[in-house]
Amino acid sequence: MKRLSNLLLALFVVSCVGCATFHPPINEQNARPDDFGVEYEWREGSLPPPYHYEYTIIIKPSSRSEIVLTPDYPSTTVPKWTEFFKVEEQSLNDLYRVMVENGLFTRKWRQLDAAPVGGSHQTLVVTAQGKLIKVEDYLVFEQQGSAKAMYEAVQALVPEEIWERLQAKRQQYMREHPHR
C-alpha cells in the first residue's frame, strides 16, 4: 500500500511538473521581455487578380507598430500601403500573456503532414528573450485553437479605423484594376 501511495505521489508530481512546463502560470517571471516583438503575415488564397491581397502586422517592442497591406499579388506595379499605430504598454503585456497562455514558448509547433493547397495562409514570428519562435499555418488539430487565439490577438491591436481605411483603399484598387 505504501509503495502504491508513493507511486501515485510520484505520478502526481510528474504530471504537475509536466503541466507547468507546457502552460506556465503568468507571474513576475513571465513578464514581457524588453525585446518582445511580433510579425504576423496573412495572405489570401489563390485567387485571380485583383482579388488576392495580403498584409503584415508588425508589433514592435516600442509602442510604434504598423500594418502593411498589398492589395494584389506583390509586384513592382502594385502599391503597398503602410499605416502606423500605437500599442499601449498594457496591450503589449496582454498580447504577451496571450502568447504565454497559448504555449507559444513551450510547445513544439507541428504542421499537418499534407497542408492544403491554394488556401489562405498565415504565419506568426515572435521575438522574446533573444529567441525567435515561428508558428506556421496548417497546424495539427490540437494546436489550431491556440494559434488562432494568438493570431486574433495580434489582429485586434490594429485600430478599427485603420482596417476600414485599408479596406476602402483595397475596394478602390479593385474597381480601378478589374480582373485581368
Side-chain angles (χ1 to χ4, degrees):
M1 184 69 170
K2 184 166 175 124
R3 283 180 68 192
L4 180 60
S5 294
N6 288 341
L7 179 61
L8 290 174
L9 179 61
L11 287 173
F12 175 75
V13 169
V14 168
S15 68
C16 288
V17 169
C19 290
T21 301
F22 290 103
H23 298 286
I26 303 298
N27 59 36
E28 296 76 29
Q29 295 167 351
N30 293 337
R32 177 177 54 88
D34 292 338
D35 67 342
F36 177 64
V38 176
E39 186 167 310
Y40 169 77
E41 294 181 358
W42 187 89
R43 291 188 311 263
E44 179 62 84
S46 299
L47 293 175
Y51 305 108
H52 174 90
Y53 70 104
E54 47 195 72
Y55 63 87
T56 302
I57 300 170
I58 302 168
I59 307 298
K60 299 181 180 180
S62 65
S63 63
R64 185 174 176 183
S65 296
E66 64 189 69
I67 180 171
V68 180
L69 187 136
T70 306
D72 204 338
Y73 289 98
S75 78
T76 57
T77 59
V78 174
K80 285 186 176 187
W81 303 313
T82 303
E83 294 272 349
F84 296 95
F85 57 96
K86 184 176 180 170
V87 178
E88 300 296 331
E89 282 292 313
Q90 187 56 52
S91 295
L92 282 173
N93 291 338
D94 292 344
L95 178 61
Y96 184 73
R97 181 180 311 271
V98 168
M99 303 287 175
V100 170
E101 288 175 349
N102 284 284
L104 175 69
F105 306 105
T106 56
R107 285 186 176 178
K108 179 177 176 164
W109 295 93
R110 299 176 322 204
Q111 288 185 282
L112 296 171
D113 290 334
V117 176
S120 63
H121 182 76
Q122 51 197 338
T123 304
L124 180 71
V125 179
V126 177
T127 302
Q129 297 178 338
K131 295 180 182 174
L132 199 67
I133 297 104
K134 187 172 187 176
V135 178
E136 294 281 353
D137 208 354
Y138 309 121
L139 297 167
V140 294
F141 179 76
E142 59 271 11
Q143 294 180 340
Q144 292 173 8
S146 293
K148 182 178 179 191
M150 292 186 293
Y151 299 153
E152 289 175 352
V154 173
Q155 294 167 341
L157 291 175
V158 179
E160 190 62 36
E161 60 271 10
I162 290 177
W163 283 117
E164 290 171 2
R165 192 166 42 247
L166 289 171
Q167 186 62 19
K169 288 173 90 169
R170 183 172 168 260
Q171 294 298 322
Q172 179 67 29
Y173 178 89
M174 288 190 298
R175 284 191 294 275
E176 292 172 357
H177 300 84
H179 180 66
R180 303 178 273 218

